[in-house]
Structure formats: C-alpha cells, structure tokens
Amino acid sequence: MALQHDTEKVSGEAFNEVGPLGPPFPIDARVNDAGHLEIGGCDVLDVAKQFGTPSYIYAAGDLRYRARAAVKAFHDAEAKFGDGTADEPGVLFASKSFPCTAAYRLMAAEGIYCDVASGGELHLALKGGFSPERILMHGNNKTDAELEQAIAAGVGYIVIDSFDEIDRLNKLMPSDGPRTLVRVAPGIKPSTHAYIQTGQVDSKFGIPLSQVEQAIQKAPNFVGLHCHLGSQFFEVEIFKAAVEVLAGFEVDCKVVNVGGGFGIPYLEHEHPPAIDSYAEQITSAVRETFGFGAKIMVEPGRWLVGNAGVTAYTVGTVKEIPGVRRYVAVDGGMSDNIRPMLYEAEYTGVIADRAAVQADRDVRVVGMHCESGDVILPEVMLHEPNVGDTLVVPATGAYGHAMASNYNGVLRPPVVFCERGEARVVVRRETHDDLSARDVE
Ligand code: LLP
C-alpha cells in the first residue's frame, strides 16, 4: 500500500475514528518530512534501530484517546436515553487483548473497568493498579484457586458460566463477596470467523436459555446478566437482539453486560461503525427493555488497543520463484502474530521509509518459522521490498503480544510505547536465558 503524505499531527480531539494514514493505522501516526512512517511522534526506523525487530510499537496516546472515547460514548448515551437514576455505565477493558502491565496502568488511569479471564490476568490487573471493585472475572472453567483468588482480592464481579461453578461458589463465597452475573448463551451468531463466535446455542460459553432461570435462583450474590456474542464483527444491530433475549427473563437485573466484540479496521477499505453507534444501540435497547435502573456494562478489548499498535519487522530474504511469486521473509511471523494462521485474519503492510511512495510490487510476506502456513500477508502491494527494509504491519495491537509464543525458540518481541516523540520500552525483548529460565536441573 502507499500512504497519504501528511505532515499535520493529529490532536487528541480528532481521534474518534481514523488518523491521517487511514483506518488500520494509529491515529497518532503520519508520514514525516523524511517520508518515513512515524508513530506517536517517533520515526519507526529509529525505534526499530533502538529496540530491534520484531517489535510491537504502540501510539500510547491512541490507547488513552480510545479509552476516553469509549467512556464518553457510553456516558453520553446514558445521558440521552437514561433518566439519571442508573449507576454510571462500566466500560471494561477486556484485558486478554493486551495483557501488559503498562496497558492496565494506562486504562486504570482513564476510569475504565477491567475484565480478566484467568488468575494470571487478575494478577496483572491488580499489579497494573486497577482497584479490585472495578475488576470483573470471567472464565468458563475457573478453578477453585482462581475463585478464591478473586474473592480474596475483592473483585467487583464474577461472571458465572456453569452450574458446576455455582456449586463451587456456593461453598467458597462469603455473603459480602463479589456480586455475580449469570452468563447467558443467547443463541445469536455474529458474522465473524467461527473460532471467535461465542453467542450461539452450541457453545462452551454461558448457560443455555432454558436453564438461565434455574441458574439465577442458585447463584450467590446475583445482580445481573451477561452475554458476549463474539469478536470482530460490524453488526451493531445484533446487540439489540441480545439485549431483548436478556430482557426475556423475569428477574430484577441491577447490571446488564453485553460483552465486547466491537470490530476494528484491519484493511484500508474497512470502516466499522463508530463507538457512538454501539453505545446508542446498546443503551437505548437496555433502557427500552429493562427500564432505567440497570447499570450497563460492555467489554471491548480489540476496539481499545487494536489500531493503536503496529508490528515492525526487518526483511531478511527476498526470493523470486519464476512465474509464481515473490516471497519476502521477515524476522517474525506466527510467533508474534498467530491471527492470520488461526482465523485467516487479513492485514496490510508498508515499508517504513517509503511509506508515501506508490506500492508497485505484489508480494507474499512470510515469517521465519518452519511451517508453510507461516504467512503474514498472502498477497500485498509493497514498494519494492529489499533486504534490510523495515516492514510495518498495522492493527496488531490486540491479540498480538497477547498470543505470542516461543515457537522455534523465538524470543518474544518487546512492547514499545511512543508518545510525543519519546519511545519507551514497557516490556523488554526476551533473551536466550529466558528460554531456559524455567528449566529444573
Ligand atoms: N468479553 C468476553 C467475555 C470475551 O470472551 C472477549 C473475547 C471479550 C469480551 C473481548 O472481545 P473483543 O472486544 O476484543 O473482540 N484471539 C481472538 C479473539 C478472541 C476473543 C476472546 N474473547 C482474535 O485474535 O481475534
């Protein structure tokens, strides 16, 4: 691809949807006077030189702006459709998308709540400064140890996912323990990859509709209902359908949580709905069906962090297969971004120092792993890639760092936060010693 040359820096106000480089890139990204890609005021070539590649590079300002936008959208919608009696809406950071202490810290400072899906994420959320009452604990198979950890920490909410969990909680839960929500499998399937659909009937998540009332009766400290339809979909309307399903139960709900899944742009031509449309759709539906008292909660993960981050790689090999195609191999791959292989997720790319030059070469970008499926960009237009070039793949801020592995003994990349021209590493690159650090002689 080729990016528009734009020397105007974007202010926090302008952020709501798209920055000057188009949908998948951070808002605080531009092409600088040297023609290089700049993220958070830092020239990507300098960042790559200083911290090496591959690296996850985030425009830290984007994380902040997005957190603020989401909170504002839901507060505005509440002011529009509510009557002022409900508790403030809770926008939760689904922290599985980017479980990095610095991200937890940043989100906590923005008045966001936090959703954790394991004892490990709970540990990180507390370490990142979330006050326990703003944390909500998920999991379809929470262990006794995790439930005890959540109760001891004093988390605000536990989302119940099964009758076995209810039995465990009835043994472990003090009466002044965390409030609980019952997760419902609403029987709604969004348009997204099958692996990330969760709201359908045939799902490991949630309680089947016919058993929800029984679950509510048995659940200790019950305060409300939850559902999560899936991830990375653009259908705002199905949240209304989900709210209507939840409203079908004869129960006093103090909390209605409709999960996350708000889609983001991965490619240049993708324009997902604005956060305000999610907020208005969800809030109006809850107010119409549940009345004015219930607190509304949502759990976006990807929406808050996905477009704030990019991955920088170095091109190491260019291989021409005559009459077939050109392979461009970079120094990462399925160990730092498993999404193309797992969900056939599509991305785009740009050569960092020729970001505004017309892309003229159709290539396949592959990683360095011992698998033919290690393809990051199956077909992408780049400006003549050469050995030594820095290739940037945008929109890797969610579920990149989160799902990274050491496959092939690869060292997991650092996380670098860039803001106002300063780059700081918030997670260092692994070392070879890290690879053997858990060995027991
Ligand atoms: N709430 C619950 C209960 C969830 O299970 C999830 C995601 C979220 C919220 C946040 O969803 P988001 O807003 O980020 O779409 N690894 C996959 C995504 C799996 C998401 C699992 N649950 C991917 O890379 O696309």
Side-chain angles (χ1 to χ4, degrees):
M1 65 177 293
L3 301 174
Q4 202 189 329
H5 188 87
D6 189 336
T7 49
E8 270 307 294
K9 202 150 184 237
V10 177
S11 80
E13 292 308 304
F15 98 96
N16 197 10
E17 294 311 313
V18 178
L21 303 188
F25 283 85
I27 294 121
D28 191 7
R30 62 169 195 149
V31 177
N32 65 20
D33 294 342
H36 299 181
L37 180 63
E38 197 177 275
I39 306 277
C42 300
D43 188 316
V44 169
L45 288 195
D46 295 339
V47 179
K49 204 162 166 193
Q50 190 178 354
F51 301 104
T53 57
S55 285
Y56 300 113
I57 303 174
Y58 285 78
D62 274 41
L63 297 170
R64 257 184 271 284
Y65 305 154
R66 286 178 177 280
R68 279 175 208 169
V71 170
K72 182 171 185 305
F74 280 88
H75 278 76
D76 287 355
E78 186 58 55
K80 185 166 170 188
F81 298 102
D83 69 352
T85 54
D87 282 350
E88 59 152 25
V91 176
L92 290 88
F93 167 42
S95 65
K96 70 199 77 181
S97 59
F98 186 32
C100 159
T101 309
Y104 285 100
R105 198 170 289 136
L106 184 151
M107 294 291 168
E110 293 302 331
I112 289 242
Y113 292 60
C114 185
D115 130 15
V116 298
S118 69
E121 286 181 4
L122 173 56
H123 166 81
L124 290 173
L126 292 168
K127 191 157 179 270
F130 269 99
S131 63
E133 66 275 12
R134 290 177 90 87
I135 298 177
L136 172 147
M137 176 93 170
H138 269 300
N140 70 305
N141 185 20
K142 305 174 193 77
T143 63
D144 280 0
E146 284 174 318
L147 291 171
E148 281 165 1
Q149 182 190 354
I151 292 165
V155 302
Y157 304 89
I158 295 177
V159 179
I160 292 175
D161 199 279
S162 68
F163 284 95
D164 291 313
E165 184 179 348
I166 293 178
D167 292 344
R168 278 180 217 156
L169 277 176
N170 277 324
K171 288 193 198 105
L172 299 169
M173 182 78 109
S175 58
D176 62 348
R179 288 151 286 179
T180 63
L181 308 184
V182 166
R183 178 165 177 171
V184 175
I188 296 174
K189 213 189 244 191
S191 307
T192 189
H193 192 279
Y195 290 0
I196 49 177
Q197 291 170 331
T198 43
Q200 68 276 18
V201 171
D202 187 359
S203 170
K204 72 167 183 166
F205 298 105
I207 307 275
L209 289 176
S210 60
Q211 298 167 11
V212 170
E213 265 150 24
Q214 195 192 348
I216 292 170
Q217 277 159 19
K218 290 185 161 183
N221 303 351
F222 172 85
V223 293
L225 294 172
H226 173 277
C227 69
H228 172 69
L229 304 176
S231 267
Q232 182 55 18
F233 57 89
F234 290 2
E235 301 144 297
V236 176
E237 331 71 61
I238 68 170
F239 281 104
K240 186 170 193 296
V243 168
E244 282 166 1
V245 171
L246 297 186
F249 299 100
E250 293 279 323
V251 60
D252 175 26
C253 270
K254 296 193 169 51
V255 177
V256 178
N257 182 335
V258 293
F262 310 168
I264 66 161
Y266 282 91
L267 302 173
E268 298 87 330
H269 63 267
E270 290 180 319
H271 292 278
I275 191 70
D276 307 32
S277 12
Y278 287 106
E280 297 210 347
Q281 177 80 217
I282 292 165
T283 308
S284 62
V286 173
R287 295 295 159 241
E288 275 162 28
T289 52
F290 283 89
F292 293 107
K295 178 182 176 82
I296 295 174
M297 286 184 147
V298 288
E299 302 168 340
R302 189 189 320 265
W303 192 91
L304 292 169
V305 300
N307 293 116
V310 306
T311 307
Y313 300 101
T314 300
V315 173
T317 312
V318 179
K319 189 182 288 182
E320 182 76 28
I321 305 186
V324 181
R325 70 173 82 247
R326 183 171 293 202
Y327 278 84
V328 174
V330 297
D331 50 356
M334 62 197 296
S335 54
D336 58 74
N337 186 1
I338 190 74
R339 300 194 68 261
M341 304 85 202
L342 206 50
Y343 318 116
E344 292 177 329
E346 292 181 275
Y347 289 83
T348 184
V350 67
I351 303 291
D353 67 350
R354 305 191 290 287
V357 183
Q358 187 59 45
D360 54 1
R361 183 65 79 168
D362 191 0
V363 299
R364 171 169 291 181
V365 175
V366 297
M368 49 63 67
H369 293 277
C370 303
E371 302 221 11
S372 292
D374 180 30
V375 177
I376 305 168
L377 308 170
E379 259 201 84
V380 64
M381 293 298 287
L382 294 176
H383 182 262
E384 190 70 57
N386 294 306
V387 171
D389 280 344
T390 303
L391 172 80
V392 170
V393 174
T396 58
Y399 305 107
H401 167 77
M403 297 202 291
S405 78
N406 291 121
Y407 185 39
N408 291 138
V410 159
L411 308 175
R412 282 177 291 181
V415 176
V416 183
F417 277 12
C418 296
E419 195 166 19
R420 288 186 219 95
E422 283 189 19
R424 65 189 171 102
V425 64
V426 296
V427 178
R428 65 161 172 79
R429 186 182 305 283
E430 280 182 317
T431 63
H432 285 152
D433 284 340
D434 287 329
L435 294 179
S436 50
R438 293 183 301 139
D439 293 355
V440 179
E441 291 301 330

Coordinates of all heavy atoms in Angstrom, one line a residue, residues 248-305:
G248 N -35.8 -11.0 28.5 CA -36.9 -12.0 28.5 C -37.0 -12.8 29.8 O -38.0 -13.5 30.0
F249 N -36.1 -12.6 30.7 CA -36.2 -13.4 32.0 C -36.8 -12.5 33.0 O -36.6 -11.3 33.1 CB -34.8 -13.8 32.4 CG -34.1 -14.7 31.4 CD1 -33.2 -14.2 30.5 CD2 -34.5 -16.0 31.3 CE1 -32.6 -15.0 29.6 CE2 -33.9 -16.8 30.3 CZ -33.0 -16.3 29.5
E250 N -37.7 -13.2 33.8 CA -38.4 -12.5 34.9 C -37.5 -12.3 36.1 O -37.5 -13.1 37.0 CB -39.6 -13.3 35.3 CG -40.7 -13.5 34.3 CD -41.6 -12.2 34.3 OE1 -41.9 -11.7 35.3 OE2 -42.0 -11.8 33.1
V251 N -36.6 -11.3 36.1 CA -35.7 -11.1 37.2 C -35.3 -9.7 37.3 O -35.3 -8.9 36.3 CB -34.4 -12.0 36.9 CG1 -33.8 -11.7 35.6 CG2 -33.5 -12.0 38.1
D252 N -35.0 -9.3 38.5 CA -34.6 -7.9 38.7 C -33.1 -7.8 38.4 O -32.3 -8.3 39.2 CB -34.9 -7.5 40.2 CG -34.4 -6.2 40.6 OD1 -34.3 -5.3 39.6 OD2 -34.1 -5.9 41.7
C253 N -32.8 -7.2 37.3 CA -31.4 -7.0 36.9 C -30.8 -5.7 37.3 O -31.3 -4.6 36.9 CB -31.2 -7.2 35.4 SG -31.0 -8.8 34.9
K254 N -29.8 -5.7 38.2 CA -29.1 -4.4 38.5 C -28.0 -4.1 37.5 O -27.5 -3.0 37.5 CB -28.6 -4.5 39.9 CG -29.7 -4.6 40.9 CD -29.3 -4.4 42.4 CE -30.5 -4.3 43.3 NZ -31.4 -5.5 43.2
V255 N -27.5 -5.1 36.8 CA -26.5 -5.0 35.9 C -26.8 -5.7 34.6 O -27.3 -6.9 34.7 CB -25.1 -5.5 36.4 CG1 -24.0 -5.4 35.4 CG2 -24.7 -4.8 37.7
V256 N -26.6 -5.1 33.5 CA -26.7 -5.8 32.2 C -25.4 -5.6 31.4 O -25.1 -4.5 31.1 CB -27.9 -5.2 31.3 CG1 -28.0 -5.9 30.0 CG2 -29.2 -5.3 32.1
N257 N -24.8 -6.7 31.2 CA -23.4 -6.6 30.5 C -23.5 -7.4 29.2 O -23.8 -8.6 29.2 CB -22.4 -7.3 31.4 CG -21.0 -7.3 30.9 OD1 -20.8 -7.2 29.7 ND2 -20.0 -7.3 31.8
V258 N -23.3 -6.7 28.1 CA -23.5 -7.3 26.7 C -22.2 -7.7 26.1 O -22.1 -7.9 24.9 CB -24.4 -6.5 25.8 CG1 -25.8 -6.4 26.3 CG2 -23.8 -5.1 25.6
G259 N -21.1 -7.7 26.9 CA -19.8 -8.2 26.3 C -19.1 -7.2 25.4 O -19.4 -6.0 25.4
G260 N -18.2 -7.7 24.6 CA -17.4 -6.9 23.7 C -17.6 -7.4 22.3 O -18.7 -7.8 21.9
G261 N -16.5 -7.3 21.5 CA -16.6 -7.8 20.1 C -16.6 -6.7 19.1 O -16.5 -7.0 17.9
F262 N -16.6 -5.4 19.5 CA -16.7 -4.3 18.5 C -15.6 -4.4 17.5 O -14.4 -4.4 17.9 CB -16.6 -2.9 19.3 CG -17.5 -2.8 20.5 CD1 -17.3 -1.7 21.3 CD2 -18.6 -3.6 20.7 CE1 -18.2 -1.5 22.4 CE2 -19.4 -3.5 21.8 CZ -19.2 -2.4 22.7
G263 N -15.9 -4.4 16.2 CA -15.0 -4.7 15.2 C -14.1 -3.5 14.9 O -14.5 -2.3 15.1
I264 N -12.9 -3.7 14.4 CA -11.9 -2.6 14.1 C -11.5 -2.8 12.6 O -11.6 -3.9 12.1 CB -10.7 -2.6 15.0 CG1 -9.8 -3.9 14.8 CG2 -11.1 -2.4 16.4 CD1 -8.4 -3.7 15.3
P265 N -10.9 -1.8 12.0 CA -10.4 -1.9 10.6 C -9.0 -2.6 10.6 O -8.1 -2.1 11.4 CB -10.3 -0.5 10.1 CG -10.2 0.3 11.4 CD -10.9 -0.4 12.5
Y266 N -8.9 -3.6 9.9 CA -7.5 -4.2 9.6 C -7.0 -3.8 8.3 O -5.8 -3.8 8.1 CB -7.6 -5.7 9.7 CG -7.7 -6.2 11.2 CD1 -8.9 -6.5 11.8 CD2 -6.5 -6.5 11.9 CE1 -8.9 -6.9 13.1 CE2 -6.5 -6.9 13.2 CZ -7.7 -7.1 13.8 OH -7.8 -7.5 15.1
L267 N -7.9 -3.5 7.3 CA -7.5 -3.1 6.0 C -7.9 -1.7 5.7 O -8.8 -1.1 6.4 CB -8.2 -4.1 5.0 CG -7.8 -5.6 5.2 CD1 -8.6 -6.5 4.3 CD2 -6.3 -5.8 5.0
E268 N -7.4 -1.2 4.6 CA -7.6 0.2 4.2 C -9.1 0.5 4.0 O -9.5 1.6 4.3 CB -6.8 0.6 2.9 CG -5.3 0.5 3.0 CD -4.8 -0.9 2.7 OE1 -5.6 -1.9 2.9 OE2 -3.7 -1.0 2.2
H269 N -9.8 -0.4 3.4 CA -11.2 -0.1 3.0 C -12.2 -0.4 4.1 O -13.4 -0.3 3.8 CB -11.5 -0.9 1.7 CG -11.5 -2.3 1.9 ND1 -10.4 -3.1 1.7 CD2 -12.4 -3.2 2.4 CE1 -10.7 -4.4 2.0 NE2 -11.9 -4.4 2.4
E270 N -11.8 -0.8 5.2 CA -12.7 -1.2 6.2 C -13.1 -0.1 7.1 O -12.3 0.6 7.7 CB -12.2 -2.4 7.1 CG -12.1 -3.7 6.4 CD -11.5 -4.8 7.2 OE1 -10.5 -4.6 8.0 OE2 -12.0 -5.9 7.1
H271 N -14.5 0.2 7.2 CA -15.0 1.3 8.1 C -16.0 0.7 9.0 O -17.2 0.8 8.7 CB -15.6 2.4 7.2 CG -14.5 3.1 6.4 ND1 -13.7 4.1 6.9 CD2 -14.1 2.9 5.1 CE1 -12.9 4.5 6.0 NE2 -13.1 3.8 4.9
P272 N -15.6 0.2 10.2 CA -16.6 -0.3 11.1 C -17.4 0.9 11.7 O -17.1 2.0 11.6 CB -15.7 -0.9 12.2 CG -14.3 -0.3 12.0 CD -14.2 0.1 10.6
P273 N -18.5 0.5 12.4 CA -19.4 1.5 13.0 C -18.6 2.3 14.0 O -17.7 1.7 14.7 CB -20.5 0.7 13.7 CG -20.4 -0.7 13.1 CD -19.0 -0.9 12.6
A274 N -19.0 3.5 14.2 CA -18.3 4.4 15.3 C -18.7 3.9 16.7 O -19.8 3.3 16.8 CB -18.8 5.8 15.1
I275 N -17.9 4.1 17.6 CA -18.2 3.7 19.0 C -19.5 4.3 19.5 O -20.3 3.6 20.2 CB -17.0 4.1 20.0 CG1 -17.2 3.4 21.3 CG2 -16.9 5.6 20.1 CD1 -16.9 1.9 21.3
D276 N -19.9 5.5 19.0 CA -21.2 6.1 19.5 C -22.3 5.2 19.0 O -23.4 5.2 19.7 CB -21.3 7.5 18.9 CG -20.1 8.4 19.2 OD1 -19.0 7.8 19.3 OD2 -20.3 9.6 19.3
S277 N -22.2 4.6 17.8 CA -23.4 3.8 17.4 C -23.6 2.6 18.3 O -24.7 2.2 18.6 CB -23.3 3.4 15.9 OG -22.1 3.6 15.4
Y278 N -22.4 1.9 18.7 CA -22.5 0.8 19.6 C -23.2 1.3 20.9 O -24.1 0.7 21.5 CB -21.2 0.2 20.0 CG -20.5 -0.6 18.9 CD1 -19.5 0.0 18.1 CD2 -21.0 -1.8 18.6 CE1 -18.9 -0.8 17.1 CE2 -20.4 -2.6 17.6 CZ -19.4 -2.0 16.8 OH -18.8 -2.8 15.8
A279 N -22.7 2.4 21.4 CA -23.2 2.9 22.7 C -24.7 3.3 22.6 O -25.4 2.9 23.5 CB -22.4 4.2 23.1
E280 N -25.1 3.9 21.5 CA -26.5 4.3 21.4 C -27.4 3.1 21.3 O -28.5 3.0 21.9 CB -26.7 5.3 20.3 CG -25.9 6.6 20.5 CD -26.6 7.8 19.9 OE1 -27.5 7.6 19.0 OE2 -26.1 8.9 20.2
Q281 N -27.0 2.1 20.4 CA -27.8 0.9 20.2 C -27.9 0.1 21.5 O -29.1 -0.2 21.8 CB -27.0 0.1 19.2 CG -27.6 -1.2 18.8 CD -28.8 -1.1 17.9 OE1 -29.8 -1.8 18.0 NE2 -28.7 -0.2 16.9
I282 N -26.9 -0.1 22.2 CA -26.9 -0.9 23.4 C -27.7 -0.1 24.5 O -28.6 -0.7 25.1 CB -25.5 -1.2 23.9 CG1 -24.8 -2.1 22.9 CG2 -25.5 -1.8 25.3 CD1 -23.3 -2.3 23.1
T283 N -27.4 1.1 24.7 CA -28.1 1.9 25.8 C -29.6 2.0 25.5 O -30.4 1.8 26.4 CB -27.4 3.3 25.9 OG1 -26.0 3.0 26.1 CG2 -27.9 4.0 27.2
S284 N -29.9 2.4 24.3 CA -31.4 2.6 24.0 C -32.1 1.2 24.2 O -33.2 1.2 24.8 CB -31.6 3.1 22.6 OG -31.1 2.3 21.6
A285 N -31.5 0.1 23.7 CA -32.1 -1.2 23.9 C -32.3 -1.5 25.4 O -33.4 -2.0 25.8 CB -31.3 -2.2 23.2
V286 N -31.3 -1.3 26.2 CA -31.4 -1.6 27.6 C -32.5 -0.8 28.3 O -33.3 -1.3 29.0 CB -30.1 -1.5 28.3 CG1 -30.2 -1.7 29.8 CG2 -29.0 -2.5 27.8
R287 N -32.5 0.5 28.0 CA -33.5 1.4 28.6 C -34.9 1.1 28.2 O -35.8 1.2 28.9 CB -33.2 2.9 28.3 CG -31.8 3.3 28.9 CD -31.9 3.3 30.5 NE -30.5 3.3 31.0 CZ -30.1 2.3 31.8 NH1 -30.9 1.3 32.2 NH2 -28.9 2.3 32.3
E288 N -35.1 0.6 26.9 CA -36.4 0.3 26.4 C -36.9 -1.0 27.1 O -38.1 -1.2 27.3 CB -36.4 0.1 24.9 CG -36.6 1.4 24.1 CD -36.1 1.2 22.7 OE1 -36.2 0.1 22.1 OE2 -35.7 2.2 22.1
T289 N -36.0 -1.9 27.3 CA -36.5 -3.2 27.8 C -36.4 -3.4 29.3 O -37.3 -4.0 29.9 CB -35.7 -4.4 27.1 OG1 -34.3 -4.1 27.3 CG2 -36.0 -4.5 25.6
F290 N -35.2 -3.0 29.9 CA -35.0 -3.2 31.3 C -35.5 -2.0 32.2 O -35.4 -2.1 33.4 CB -33.5 -3.4 31.6 CG -33.0 -4.8 31.2 CD1 -32.6 -5.1 30.0 CD2 -33.0 -5.8 32.2 CE1 -32.1 -6.3 29.6 CE2 -32.6 -7.1 31.9 CZ -32.1 -7.3 30.6
G291 N -35.8 -0.9 31.5 CA -36.2 0.3 32.3 C -34.9 1.1 32.6 O -33.8 0.9 32.0
F292 N -35.0 1.9 33.7 CA -33.9 2.9 33.9 C -32.9 2.6 34.9 O -31.8 3.2 35.0 CB -34.5 4.3 34.2 CG -35.3 4.9 33.0 CD1 -36.7 4.9 33.0 CD2 -34.6 5.3 31.9 CE1 -37.4 5.4 31.9 CE2 -35.3 5.8 30.8 CZ -36.7 5.9 30.8
G293 N -33.1 1.5 35.7 CA -32.3 1.3 36.9 C -31.0 0.6 36.6 O -30.0 0.8 37.3
A294 N -31.0 -0.3 35.6 CA -29.8 -1.2 35.5 C -28.6 -0.5 35.0 O -28.6 0.4 34.1 CB -30.2 -2.4 34.5
K295 N -27.5 -0.9 35.6 CA -26.1 -0.4 35.2 C -25.7 -1.2 33.9 O -25.8 -2.4 33.9 CB -25.1 -0.7 36.3 CG -23.7 -0.3 36.0 CD -22.8 -0.7 37.2 CE -21.3 -0.4 36.9 NZ -21.0 1.0 37.2
I296 N -25.3 -0.4 32.9 CA -24.9 -1.0 31.6 C -23.4 -1.3 31.7 O -22.6 -0.4 32.1 CB -25.3 -0.1 30.4 CG1 -26.8 0.0 30.4 CG2 -24.7 -0.6 29.1 CD1 -27.3 0.9 29.3
M297 N -23.0 -2.5 31.2 CA -21.6 -2.8 31.1 C -21.3 -3.3 29.7 O -22.1 -4.0 29.1 CB -21.1 -3.8 32.1 CG -21.0 -3.3 33.5 SD -20.4 -4.6 34.6 CE -19.5 -3.6 35.8
V298 N -20.1 -3.0 29.2 CA -19.6 -3.5 27.9 C -18.1 -3.9 28.1 O -17.5 -3.3 29.0 CB -19.8 -2.5 26.7 CG1 -21.2 -2.4 26.3 CG2 -19.1 -1.2 27.1
E299 N -17.6 -4.8 27.2 CA -16.3 -5.3 27.4 C -15.5 -5.3 26.2 O -15.1 -6.3 25.6 CB -16.4 -6.8 27.9 CG -17.1 -7.0 29.2 CD -17.4 -8.4 29.5 OE1 -17.4 -9.3 28.5 OE2 -17.7 -8.8 30.6
P300 N -15.2 -4.1 25.6 CA -14.3 -4.1 24.4 C -12.9 -4.4 24.7 O -12.4 -3.9 25.8 CB -14.5 -2.7 23.9 CG -14.8 -1.9 25.1 CD -15.6 -2.8 26.0
G301 N -12.2 -5.2 23.9 CA -10.8 -5.4 24.1 C -10.1 -4.8 22.9 O -9.5 -3.8 22.9
R302 N -10.3 -5.5 21.7 CA -9.7 -5.1 20.5 C -10.0 -3.6 20.1 O -9.1 -2.9 19.7 CB -10.3 -6.0 19.4 CG -9.7 -5.9 18.0 CD -10.6 -6.6 17.0 NE -11.1 -7.9 17.5 CZ -10.5 -9.1 17.4 NH1 -9.4 -9.2 16.7 NH2 -11.1 -10.2 17.9
W303 N -11.2 -3.1 20.4 CA -11.5 -1.8 20.0 C -10.6 -0.8 20.7 O -10.2 0.3 20.1 CB -13.0 -1.4 20.3 CG -13.4 -0.2 19.6 CD1 -13.9 0.0 18.3 CD2 -13.2 1.2 20.1 NE1 -14.1 1.3 18.0 CE2 -13.7 2.1 19.1 CE3 -12.7 1.7 21.3 CZ2 -13.6 3.4 19.2 CZ3 -12.7 3.1 21.4 CH2 -13.2 3.9 20.4
L304 N -10.2 -1.1 21.9 CA -9.4 -0.1 22.7 C -7.9 -0.1 22.3 O -7.3 0.9 22.4 CB -9.5 -0.4 24.2 CG -10.9 -0.2 24.8 CD1 -10.9 -0.8 26.2 CD2 -11.2 1.3 24.9
V305 N -7.5 -1.3 21.8 CA -6.0 -1.4 21.7 C -5.5 -1.8 20.3 O -4.4 -1.6 19.9 CB -5.4 -2.4 22.7 CG1 -5.7 -1.9 24.1 CG2 -6.0 -3.8 22.5

